[in-house]
Amino acid sequence: CCIVGFSILITVSLCLDLNCTVASELLKRPTNVRLTSHNMNLVLKWDPPEGTTSDMVYTTMYRSSATDYRIGCSNISSFECDFTALKISQYGNYTGRVQALLGEESSNWVESNYITLDTDTVIGSPTVSLSSNGPTLEVTIQDPVLSILTLRDVYNGVTYNITYWKKGQNEKARSIANMQQNRVVLNDLGPRTKYCVQVQINTDKNRNPSQPSNITCESTANAPWVAALVAFVIMAVAVALLVVVVVYWKSISQFLCPKDALPPHFEICMQMFHFI
């Protein structure tokens, strides 16, 4: 009995040592595994394990709250996998995982965070253009292009926050919130002044506003009535001059072309000037 018990202890000890050896031979796992979404795409990203060699590859999987895990990318050497083309739903709740592979060895799977696509995706910045119409500016807003569907297909409520200011006076910026139209006229502006505009998008489901647009600047012009007034004044002056010429034409012509001979001393001077 003692011999049998001793043999069992030796066997258990060897098994424990073997398990420890097997565990230590597992590849190190990828780190900083995160599932991200920008403009409704779905991308799993990770950092390679410490001491990674060029031969290491990765396999990824993803699943929704309604499905089991499915293969995303197999045996790739990059540190991200795009799941967007794999028939994802704009309203789905997803998670992913990644495993490192080197020859016959593999690491444990590393799980990512969960993402609900329509509420967690980062909405990109809109495109803004400005056109001047006298002392007003028309703001035209174009929604960012999404990886699946359009912004208004995904969200029922889309509004715009518009911030504008005189160039160089950011601290005096004014805002228009919750505009539903993508064309807005700013009419409380001064003439012949440069203004800058920036826009962000809000939606009914996404918890965060979009990334802000680039700052776009444009100058206003004079009011149309100013140009009309200037044209009227020029026309009035031209008509007045024409009337004066017609009324006093006889006097003007006599002054320019006198019939009387010049005095003798004027003629002498003119001859001397001509001779010179």
Side-chain angles (χ1 to χ4, degrees):
C1 291
C2 292
I3 294 174
V4 172
F6 183 73
S7 299
I8 292 173
L9 287 174
I10 293 176
T11 303
V12 170
S13 178
L14 288 173
C15 288
L16 289 174
D17 290 342
L18 181 60
N19 285 338
C20 290
T21 302
V22 171
S24 65
E25 287 179 352
L26 283 174
L27 289 180
K28 291 183 179 180
R29 300 182 299 172
T31 60
N32 193 24
V33 179
R34 66 268 187 205
L35 191 60
T36 66
S37 179
H38 182 268
N39 282 339
M40 298 298 290
N41 69 0
L42 189 64
V43 180
L44 184 68
K45 300 180 180 181
W46 60 90
D47 294 335
E50 186 178 352
T52 300
T53 68
S54 59
D55 296 329
M56 184 171 288
V57 294
Y58 304 91
T59 293
T60 66
M61 303 183 79
Y62 75 100
R63 71 178 177 89
S64 72
S65 55
T67 64
D68 294 329
Y69 271 110
R70 301 171 181 174
I71 289 292
C73 300
S74 296
N75 300 323
I76 60 173
S77 57
S78 60
F79 306 136
E80 65 177 52
C81 174
D82 192 342
F83 300 140
T84 309
L86 302 178
K87 296 182 179 179
I88 62 173
S89 167
Q90 66 268 31
Y91 306 121
N93 180 261
Y94 294 96
T95 187
R97 64 183 185 181
V98 60
Q99 180 185 50
L101 303 167
L102 183 62
E104 298 297 323
E105 297 180 325
S106 61
S107 72
N108 290 327
W109 289 97
V110 185
E111 307 280 339
S112 75
N113 54 300
Y114 280 85
I115 274 186
T116 301
L117 210 56
D118 60 333
T119 60
D120 294 327
T121 192
V122 176
I123 300 174
S125 56
T127 301
V128 175
S129 59
L130 303 177
S131 59
S132 175
N133 183 15
T136 67
L137 288 178
E138 183 179 34
V139 183
T140 302
I141 306 166
Q142 184 177 353
D143 295 333
V145 177
L146 304 187
S147 296
I148 55 174
L149 303 176
T150 67
L151 189 71
R152 293 178 184 272
D153 288 333
V154 177
Y155 302 103
N156 292 323
V158 176
T159 59
Y160 305 99
N161 287 348
I162 302 170
T163 304
Y164 60 101
W165 62 92
K166 285 184 181 180
K167 188 171 184 179
Q169 298 184 13
N170 307 47
E171 70 282 357
K172 296 181 180 180
R174 289 171 278 180
S175 296
I176 302 174
N178 300 322
M179 289 296 300
Q180 296 182 351
Q181 297 81 14
N182 61 358
R183 288 178 181 268
V184 180
V185 176
L186 305 178
N187 51 23
D188 56 342
L189 311 179
R192 301 179 66 181
T193 305
K194 179 165 281 191
Y195 288 88
C196 297
V197 176
Q198 190 172 45
V199 178
Q200 276 187 294
I201 300 173
N202 287 322
T203 64
D204 55 339
K205 293 181 180 179
N206 199 299
R207 65 194 70 182
N208 298 313
S210 74
Q211 295 174 326
S213 70
N214 291 332
I215 296 174
T216 306
C217 301
E218 183 61 78
S219 296
T220 58
N222 283 322
W225 64 266
V226 174
L229 179 61
V230 171
F232 174 78
V233 170
I234 292 174
M235 289 294 295
V237 171
V239 170
L241 288 175
L242 181 61
V243 170
V244 169
V245 169
V246 170
V247 172
Y248 297 99
W249 173 249
K250 186 175 181 179
S251 300
I252 294 172
S253 62
Q254 288 179 354
F255 175 78
L256 296 176
C257 303
K259 295 180 180 180
D260 297 334
L262 292 173
H265 60 280
F266 274 18
E267 290 183 357
I268 295 172
C269 290
M270 291 295 292
Q271 290 174 0
M272 292 177 62
F273 179 77
H274 181 70
F275 177 77
I276 292 172

